[in-house]
């Protein structure tokens, strides 16, 4: 018997509120939440700690055989382990954001992470957040949402997040960083952050978190109840 799992793909640019939305939806439906950006960030961390520049493509590729990255199910989500060590907020810094965006442009890095992402979705009902989930990783996802918000709204959310964590940043710097990442992520040749043909565009600029979750759930419920 084929045991088909239910998959929800949430793609969109940084700061669009994908991860907050995904976490809330995962709780609501009892699905596993997978943050695929954390995998790229972890590769970025490894490379950065080795002292390799983020644009040194050959240097980054030559590191891959040494990287032991795993995703384990913990508390309803996918926790990332690097060389057996649980990865936490050390990947959530501006420098590692830049590294993650740069390493994610390298086809070998994307191929390296592909199976880790697909394997989890084969065994579990998942809600996966990323850039290429609907187009490359889970093209057969039953629901695909492409989550967007204006650059200013996204920068403000990210700025508030960093401030809450005690980081010393300015709104202008966060906005500039976000615009750089948008161009870097959507302009790249491989798996650019663009909506799948069958994705539903979901702009949450003026919505609260609750409204965002309720509106997304309405879309998902229609498919689940088919
Ligand atoms: O979602 P995030 O901001 O944590 O992702 C960090 C970087 O990783 C982002 O700049 C683009 C890249 N990324 C990607 O290319 N594909 C994914 N599925 C997820 C993230």
């Amino acid at each position: 018997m084929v045991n088909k799992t239910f998959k929800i793909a949430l793609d969109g640019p940084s700061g669009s509120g994908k991860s907050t939305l995904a976490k809330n939806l995962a709780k609501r439906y009892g699905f596993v939440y997978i943050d695929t950006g954390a995998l790229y960030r972890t590769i970025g961390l490894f490379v950065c700690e080795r002292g390799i520049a983020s644009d040194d493509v050959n240097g980054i590729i030559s590191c891959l055989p040494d990287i032991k990255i795993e995703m384990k199910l913990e508390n309803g989500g996918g926790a990332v382990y690097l060389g057996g060590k649980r990865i936490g907020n050390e990947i959530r810094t501006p420098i590692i954001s830049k590294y993650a965006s740069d390493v994610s442009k390298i086809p070998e890095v994307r191929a390296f992470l592909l199976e880790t992402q697909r394997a989890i979705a084969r065994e579990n009902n998942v809600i996966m957040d990323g850039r290429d989930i609907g187009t490359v990783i889970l093209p057969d996802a039953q629901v695909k949402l492409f989550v967007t918000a204006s650059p200013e709204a996204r920068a403000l959310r990210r700025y508030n997040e960093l401030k809450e964590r005690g980081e010393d940043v300015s709104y202008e710097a966060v906005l500039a960083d976000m615009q750089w990442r948008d161009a870097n992520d959507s302009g790249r040749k491989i798996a650019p952050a663009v909506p799948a043909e069958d994705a539903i565009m979901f702009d949450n600029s003026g919505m609260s978190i609750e409204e965002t979750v309720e509106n997304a759930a309405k879309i998902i419920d229609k498919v689940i109840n088919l």
Side-chain angles (χ1 to χ4, degrees), residues 37-54 60 63-64 67 69 82 90-91 95-104 109 113:
L39 295 168
Y40 291 93
R41 287 174 179 274
T42 300
I43 304 278
L45 177 74
F46 184 97
V47 169
C48 179
E49 284 182 345
R50 279 244 172 140
I52 295 170
S54 71
I60 293 167
C63 277
L64 293 176
I67 302 181
I69 195 164
L82 176 65
E90 65 269 40
I91 54 172
I95 174 88
I96 299 302
S97 295
K98 178 165 184 351
Y99 262 89
S101 185
D102 279 340
V103 303
S104 72
V109 170
L113 293 175

Side-chain angles (χ1 to χ4, degrees), residues 36-37 40-41 100-101 104 110 130-133 181 185 188:
T36 61
Y40 291 93
R41 287 174 179 274
S101 185
S104 72
R110 304 200 72 85
R131 303 292 190 289
D132 63 339
I133 310 305
R181 276 220 285 156
D185 293 344
R188 68 186 180 209

Side-chain angles (χ1 to χ4, degrees), residues 28-96:
R28 183 173 183 131
Y29 293 101
F31 284 16
V32 171
Y33 164 58
I34 306 295
D35 167 13
T36 61
L39 295 168
Y40 291 93
R41 287 174 179 274
T42 300
I43 304 278
L45 177 74
F46 184 97
V47 169
C48 179
E49 284 182 345
R50 279 244 172 140
I52 295 170
S54 71
D55 60 356
D56 178 357
V57 173
N58 290 331
I60 293 167
I61 293 172
S62 69
C63 277
L64 293 176
D66 299 339
I67 302 181
K68 300 280 169 278
I69 195 164
E70 290 169 281
M71 195 168 246
K72 299 185 187 175
L73 290 189
E74 271 175 26
N75 309 319
V80 180
Y81 283 77
L82 176 65
K85 179 175 167 271
R86 171 92 149 79
I87 296 297
N89 274 340
E90 65 269 40
I91 54 172
R92 313 265 163 213
T93 63
I95 174 88
I96 299 302

